Every structure is written in structure tokens, then in C-alpha cells.
Amino acid sequence: VTTASPATAPAASAADRVPVAIVGASGYTGAELVRLLSQHPRVAIAGLYARGKAGEPLAKVFPQFAGLPDLGTAPLEPFDEAAVAARARVVFCALPHGESARIVAALAARHLTVLDLSADFRLKDPAAYAEWYGTPEHPHHPDPELLQHAVYGLPERHRDALRTARLVAVPGCYPTATILAAAPLLEAGLVSPEGLVVDAKSGVSGAGRTPTTATHFSEAGEGIRPYKVAGTHRHTPEIEQELSLAAGRVLRLTFTPHLVPMTRGILACVYATPTDPTRPAAAYHEALAARYAHEPFVTVLPPGQLPDTSFVRGSNRAHVGVAYDARARRVLAMSAIDNLVKGASGQAVQCMNLALGFAEHEGLAGPAMFP
Ligand SMILES: NC(=O)c1ccc[n+]([C@@H]2O[C@H](COP(=O)([O-])OP(=O)(O)OC[C@H]3O[C@@H](n4cnc5c(N)ncnc54)[C@H](OP(=O)(O)O)[C@@H]3O)[C@@H](O)[C@H]2O)c1
């Protein structure tokens, strides 16, 4: 694990900034990329691409950018791979899975550095992709060879590989929160890979901008409900893939996601069985604190303090906590992130910083927005 320098180098001149493009700039993660990249000292936004909203100025689709120099009037354009390749060196793809895979392959062939926010390049096993994401029209992964070159974009787990990555599969929001909480305990052999239970909650922006009955205010605004339970949520194999690597053996777990009435945030609680029930409770906190001591974006909360999505909102930070229930002999590892930042666009920028050799915190150092 390396430490990103907290010192901030002077911003690059306009000519030295790396040109970046955002495909899917009319969606929630796309807008979050615009927000973060427009404040990044070493890049310049060189193109914004959309599908149905192409032809509109950005500020018409997202009024939060109105009046900002160069941004508010910037056009959303229809995607054109030749135009993207002519303008940009780095491309963020914030499209639905399936759509992304086709575009990513075309951009990678033009030697651009690609950060894909969809699930299309996250599962290393093409058979797993076919099982979880295959459709009657597209039963298989469109580019299994390219899949093998993709690096799973969780810097806290794959930092060295990200430094030379040309295609980054930016993790899902639930997997980011879950893996950050549980992986160090599995890796250190403190908890058993058997019988893990992940109970997680997400804000409604996790479902993207297109409204559905389930995300309608009057359906989601005052209740909380589990969904896609019993091994049916597509983030299950992704979490299992990465926690299996941490545990050093294949594991299966129970993942229960919930939709909660808030806009942003993921809270993941992982229930695990200790490998030694007589181990002192402090050992779990010490293991997490040691593992994340030099991480720029992960804070291990002091014993007794519990993560809360309110205190990471709008930031690229993850708050991790752990407790030991000696009565029930269960370890409880918890984490809170903002699904649109550390769970998507902020993490993508963090990966870009590594891939381009920038300091890891650049453009991401700001604190959370509270209250
Ligand atoms: N939301 C989250 O918290 C989150 C977290 C992690 C990862 N992700 C992943 O990030 C990706 C984007 O998510 P989002 O929440 O930003 O979604 P979103 O708000 O629904 O935006 C989707 C974007 O994709 C474009 N698009 C939709 N269908 C398309 C198609 N058939 N062909 C080309 N472009 C199409 C849309 O363009 P128009 O609106 O102009 O048609 C829009 O720009 C998804 O793969 C999602 O799973 C999301």
C-alpha cells in the first residue's frame, strides 16, 4: 500500500491538461464525473456525449452547471468514436451494461485509456458474465479477450495493476462498500469465508436518472424494502469474486440489498464468523486500522463509532467500522460511501489518477457535504 501525497502540486496549464471525454454525460454518474473532472487540476473536459439528450446544452439537462464558464453551454453530442479519439486521451463510459461493452471495445482499439463504470468488464470469468448479464439477443460477453486486460478499479485492492491499466472496470457501488469492509478481515484470516452475510442499503440515485415505478417518490419516499434477494442481485458475483481473492479460496455469500429513502449513500454491514471466538475484540479494529493506515480515502472509525452515509456524502471517502458481538460470536464489519462518488465517479477519477501517474487524491481531496 502506498500513500498519496497530501501536498497539491500547482494546476497544469491549459496546454498541459489531459483531454478527457465523458460518454453518458446525461446520466447521474456522468453528471458526477462532470462535477469532479471540471475541478480537477490536470485534466480538461474535451467532449460530452449522450444518447436521447444529445443536441441539448449540458445546463438544460443538468441546471446545476448553468453559468459555469465553458460548462453550462457545452453541448451534449451524439457518440462518435472517431470524434472522441480525435479529441480525448482518456474516456469515461457511464452507460448501461451491455451498451458499454461495444463502445469500450471500439475506444480501446484506438488506444485510449478507458474507465468503464458499467458492469461489462468487472467479472473475470466470461461464463459468469453470460450467466448474470447475458440476454437472448446477447447471450455472451462481446469481447472475452479484452475482458482479460481489464483491471478491477478498486485502488485499495489493485493499486499496482491500475498504474499501468488501459481499461479499468470501475466497481459497483455495493461491491465497493462491502469489499472495503470485509476484505482485510478475510485476508488476515480473522473471519471465516463460510456463511458471510452482507446486508446493504442504497439511496435511490443508485438506480440512475430514468424514473421507474420502484423509484417513484411516492413508492420509495417513506418505506424501506429489500429487493433482488437470495442470490439474485448482479453485484453478488462481483463481491464474491473479490472477496474470494482476499480469502484465498472461492466463497459464496448471502447478499441482501435494500432501497432506502435517501438520494445518495450506501451502507454495508457484513456479518462474519470469527476464526477464533476467544480473540479480543480489539484485534478486528487493529487489523482494519493497519490495513488502511496509509489509504488516502478510507478512514477506519475509532472503536464505538459507527459509519453513517451522512458523513461521506459528496466525497470520495469511505468510513469503515467494526464491532465484535461476543455473545453471538459474530464480527460485524461496516462501511459507508457515497454511491455516486466512491461508489462510481470519484473512484473512476481515483483510478484515472493512478493510470496517468497523478497523485491519487488530485481532484478528490474535498471533505463530505454535511449537513
Ligand atoms: N448510479 C449509481 O450509483 C451507479 C454506481 C456505480 C455504477 N453505476 C453504473 O454506471 C452506469 C451509468 O449509471 P447512471 O446511474 O449514471 O445511469 P443513468 O442516470 O440512467 O444514465 C445513463 C446514461 O447512459 C445513456 N444511455 C442510456 N441508454 C443508452 C443506450 N442504449 N445507448 C447509449 N447510451 C445510453 C443515457 O443517455 P440519454 O439520457 O441521453 O439517453 C445516460 O447518459 C451504469 O452502468 C450503472 O450500473 C451506477
Side-chain angles (χ1 to χ4, degrees), residues 24-29 50-53 94-97 99 117-118 122 173 205-206 208-209 339-340 343-344:
S26 51
Y28 278 166
T29 58
R51 182 194 54 159
K53 315 252 177 12
L95 302 179
H97 63 81
E99 297 306 326
L117 279 76
S118 85
R122 294 180 195 154
C173 43
S205 65
R209 200 178 195 196
N339 57 297
L340 291 175

Side-chain angles (χ1 to χ4, degrees), residues 175-186 243 268-270 288 292 298 318-322 332-336:
T176 296
T178 304
I179 296 160
L180 288 176
L185 301 178
L186 285 161
L243 291 187
C269 298
V270 185
L288 284 168
Y292 291 131
V298 184
H319 283 185
V320 174
V322 67
L332 176 53
M334 300 154 277
S335 84

